[in-house]
Amino acid sequence: MEAAGRAGFRAAEVAFPYGQGAPRELRAAAERAALELVLINTPPVTTPNGHEQLPYACRIHIMAGRIPKGAEREAVSAEMEATFIENLRYATDILAQVSVAILKKVGNPNLKLQLDIFHCQIMDGNLTQNLETYFPVIGHIQIAQVPGRHEPDSPGELNYPYLFQLLESMDYSGYIGCEYKPKGKFFLRSSKMGGRVFQCEAAGDTLKGLGWARSYWESHGLLHGGS
């Protein structure tokens, strides 16, 4: 978060803050860096205390889990879907602030879709129509170039200037997390489209890959005093 603040970002995701200090320490680090903490993931494995993420939380990415090793998808899919729906209902009852078919089955307006454009392109493509179709239930977006999962301006299949403009034309006001692997050695996160804020958790070589973000900020009159 300190590196993100130095790079000029105003918000950050911390995927797995558990075991990295008490929630108050994480909050203090965010305040020192003048950052908003906008997203965490639920733990990917069962934990003894299902409420442990609440002290950290703003938005929470509720992870669906994986098919058990050695199991056949057809044999376990119905039970896993039922468990996921039950977990989401439980979570949304607690989290008053936090696939579309699953969202409709859960039936709680506090639950939104996190759409990862990288995975959406690989699995389905047709990004313009998918963004327009799912826009009413999208609460968070993540990006990376395809196929290398690097910076959005790196060589690849996706035209991110077009996609950013599309989201602006739809008045998207949520965050965009840069879920990519910089060509350096650190991960980077990012942004709020409506307020045109980008964010990251970055240091070292990651900074060399931020030209795309600075160009975006400059095009919207967001860079001041060279920072």
Side-chain angles (χ1 to χ4, degrees), residues 3 5 17 64 79 117 150 167 179 193 200 202 208 210:
E79 180 181 359
I117 288 178
H150 296 309
L167 291 170
E179 184 77 358
M193 184 64 69
C200 76
K208 297 178 182 178
L210 292 179

Side-chain angles (χ1 to χ4, degrees), residues 38 53 106 110 146 190:
V38 298
Q53 60 266 40
V106 173
N110 294 327
V146 178
S190 73

Side-chain angles (χ1 to χ4, degrees), residues 168-200:
E168 289 190 35
S169 72
M170 294 190 291
D171 293 326
Y172 177 64
S173 60
Y175 285 91
I176 294 178
C178 293
E179 184 77 358
Y180 67 70
K181 298 178 291 186
K183 292 187 176 180
K185 57 183 177 181
F186 296 98
F187 271 89
L188 177 140
R189 310 269 173 185
S190 73
S191 129
K192 182 149 187 151
M193 184 64 69
R196 298 187 175 88
V197 176
F198 281 82
Q199 91 236 4
C200 76

Side-chain angles (χ1 to χ4, degrees), residues 13 15 24 36 38 45 48 60 70 72 85-86 102 107 110 114 139 153 164-166 176 180 212 214-215 219 223-224:
E13 300 177 5
R24 64 179 178 274
E36 181 182 0
V38 298
V45 296
I60 293 180
E72 294 291 335
I85 291 171
E86 181 182 352
I102 294 289
N110 294 327
Q114 176 174 287
D153 65 343
F164 290 154
Q165 182 59 47
L166 175 65
I176 294 178
Y180 67 70
W212 69 271
R214 295 191 183 97
S215 294
S219 71
L223 288 183
H224 302 286

